[in-house]
């Protein structure tokens, strides 16, 4: 007579991925950015055509300066990423990953594409998942704080430079914005407190993030590029817009254009559009028009800026992204 078996059933063997399937997956991931770009180009072809035509008739000297500031923007992003992790990252590969992240960032909303590329890059460099995720949170926190500091400095240094009457929202709009932010934080706190499975990972993430933030701010080689790169980013973006505007004959100064970008991105920067395209563009045109620029010229400047910073580097960025995936850097 056969006795019934007791104890847990034998564990099933883990599935083994064959080299052929791994190569097919890598090939699919390397081709995916190119396919997304083709689809996006088909949707936004009119903007690319109009912006390219305007840039072709612009002053090439100012466009060259705008291209230089665009490249410096990737350097600033790499500095912020390095400053957000204690481990030393290879500078060349870090810069290449941020160039590739720029292509991914313009496909997915709310910087999800850039964060996904950076998270994968950090994990491939041996950074633990908890620390890599904490670095993304620190990066996302430092950038708006640094931008706000730059905006306050602009206002304090030149309080009479511009008129803010048409740009400052009324009291009801401010109250609704503050109430929405507080309600979001309260809902998040209640969810973490009520849902027990979320409590431990969230608390662990917070402990790691706070511990890493304290550690990084004891290392000058980390907090200087972290905050310096974050403060330089809006200045470099504003310089690109100003140079494109000067190439087209925009009647605003560099300080006015940079302040217009700071105000516009602060007002609608939280809207989850891919790369900030859409809401930030509309707010930027409105802000420059409020500062005295013709609406048509302000629109042409923003379109030219997007073509120069999004569409021109998009295909090279996607090719770099595909190469990094194929070489297992990502």
């Amino acid at each position: 007579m056969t006795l019934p078996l007791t104890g847990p059933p034998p564990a099933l063997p883990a599935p083994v991925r064959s080299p052929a399937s791994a190569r097919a997956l890598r090939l699919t991931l390397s081709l995916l950015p190119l396919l997304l770009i083709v689809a996006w180009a088909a949707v936004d072809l009119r903007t690319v055509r109009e912006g390219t035509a305007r840039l072709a008739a612009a002053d090439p000297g100012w466009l060259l300066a705008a291209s230089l500031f665009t490249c410096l923007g990737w350097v600033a992003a790499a500095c912020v990423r390095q400053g957000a992790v204690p481990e030393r990252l290879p500078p060349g590969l870090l810069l290449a990953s941020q160039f590739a992240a720029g292509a991914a960032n313009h496909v997915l909303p709310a910087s999800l594409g850039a964060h996904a590329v950076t998270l994968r890059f950090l994990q491939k460099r041996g950074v633990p998942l908890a620390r890599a995720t904490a670095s993304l949170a620190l990066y996302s926190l430092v950038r708006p704080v640094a931008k706000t500091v730059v905006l306050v400095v602009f206002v304090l240094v030149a309080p009479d430079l511009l008129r803010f009457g048409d740009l400052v929202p009324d009291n009801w709009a401010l109250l609704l914005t503050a109430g929405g932010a507080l309600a979001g934080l309260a809902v998040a706190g209640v969810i973490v407190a009520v849902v027990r499975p979320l409590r431990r990972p969230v608390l662990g993430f917070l402990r790691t993030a706070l511990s890493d933030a304290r550690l990084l701010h004891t290392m000058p080689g980390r907090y200087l590029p972290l905050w310096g790169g974050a403060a330089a980013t809006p200045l470099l973006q504003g310089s690109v817009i100003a140079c494109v505007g000067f190439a087209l004959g925009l009647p605003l100064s560099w300080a006015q254009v940079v302040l217009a970008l700071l105000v516009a991105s602060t007002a609608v920067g939280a809207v989850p559009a891919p790369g900030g395209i859409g809401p930030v563009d509309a707010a930027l045109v409105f802000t420059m028009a409020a500062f005295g620029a013709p609406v048509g010229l302000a629109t042409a400047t923003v379109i030219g800026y997007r073509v120069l910073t999004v569409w021109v580097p998009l295909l090279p960025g996607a090719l770099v992204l595909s190469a990094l995936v194929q070489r297992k850097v990502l």
Side-chain angles (χ1 to χ4, degrees):
M1 179 178 181
T2 303
L3 297 176
L5 296 177
T6 60
L12 296 176
V16 179
R17 182 180 296 176
S18 65
S21 63
R23 285 195 299 270
L25 178 61
R26 253 194 335 268
L27 180 61
T28 302
L29 292 177
S30 62
L31 292 178
L32 183 60
L34 301 178
L35 296 177
L36 291 175
I37 288 174
V38 171
W40 192 28
V43 173
D44 206 21
L45 184 60
R46 179 183 176 185
T47 300
V48 180
R49 185 170 57 247
E50 292 179 357
T52 304
R54 290 183 180 276
L55 290 179
D59 187 337
W62 283 116
L63 293 182
L64 181 61
S67 301
L68 175 62
F69 286 121
T70 300
C71 296
L72 291 177
W74 296 316
V75 176
C79 289
V80 181
R81 296 292 189 183
Q82 173 61 90
V85 289
E87 291 84 355
R88 180 172 177 79
L89 303 173
L93 290 178
L94 176 60
L95 183 60
S97 71
Q98 293 311 293
F99 181 59
N105 193 44
H106 296 301
V107 176
L108 298 177
S111 300
L112 293 178
H115 287 335
V117 171
T118 303
L119 181 63
R120 184 64 176 170
F121 174 75
L122 293 177
Q123 288 188 279
K124 284 290 188 177
R125 303 278 72 76
V127 180
L129 178 60
R131 174 166 284 175
T133 307
S135 75
L136 300 183
L138 182 61
Y139 174 90
S140 301
L141 176 64
V142 165
R143 288 193 63 179
V145 171
K147 182 173 65 176
T148 303
V149 172
V150 173
L151 176 59
V152 171
V153 170
F154 260 77
V155 175
L156 293 178
V157 170
D160 299 328
L161 180 63
L162 299 167
R163 300 188 306 271
F164 287 92
D166 296 334
L167 301 175
V168 178
D170 55 25
N171 294 333
W172 281 110
L174 292 175
L175 289 176
L176 288 175
T177 302
L182 293 176
L185 292 176
V187 170
V190 169
I191 291 176
V192 172
V194 172
V195 183
R196 289 180 178 271
L198 291 179
R199 192 177 307 169
R200 178 174 295 179
V202 169
L203 292 178
F205 166 76
L206 291 177
R207 281 194 296 268
T208 302
L210 293 175
S211 176
D212 283 357
R214 286 195 298 265
L215 174 62
L216 290 169
H217 284 84
T218 63
M219 306 168 62
R222 295 297 179 268
Y223 66 76
L224 289 178
L226 175 67
W227 290 99
T233 297
L235 298 178
L236 292 171
Q237 292 174 343
S239 298
V240 176
I241 300 172
C243 289
V244 173
F246 298 156
L248 298 174
L250 186 72
L252 295 179
S253 65
W254 175 84
Q256 288 175 316
V257 174
V258 173
L259 192 51
L261 173 65
L262 291 170
V263 172
S265 58
T266 301
V268 297
V271 178
I277 297 175
V280 174
D281 291 348
L284 183 56
V285 171
F286 170 76
T287 308
M288 288 195 293
F291 291 161
V295 175
L297 193 53
T299 303
T301 298
V302 174
I303 292 176
Y305 161 72
R306 285 302 183 185
V307 170
L308 190 63
T309 58
V310 176
W311 283 106
V312 171
L314 193 57
L315 181 58
L319 294 175
V320 171
L321 179 59
S322 299
L324 293 178
V325 171
Q326 289 179 341
R327 296 188 178 186
K328 300 183 181 180
V329 177
L330 298 178

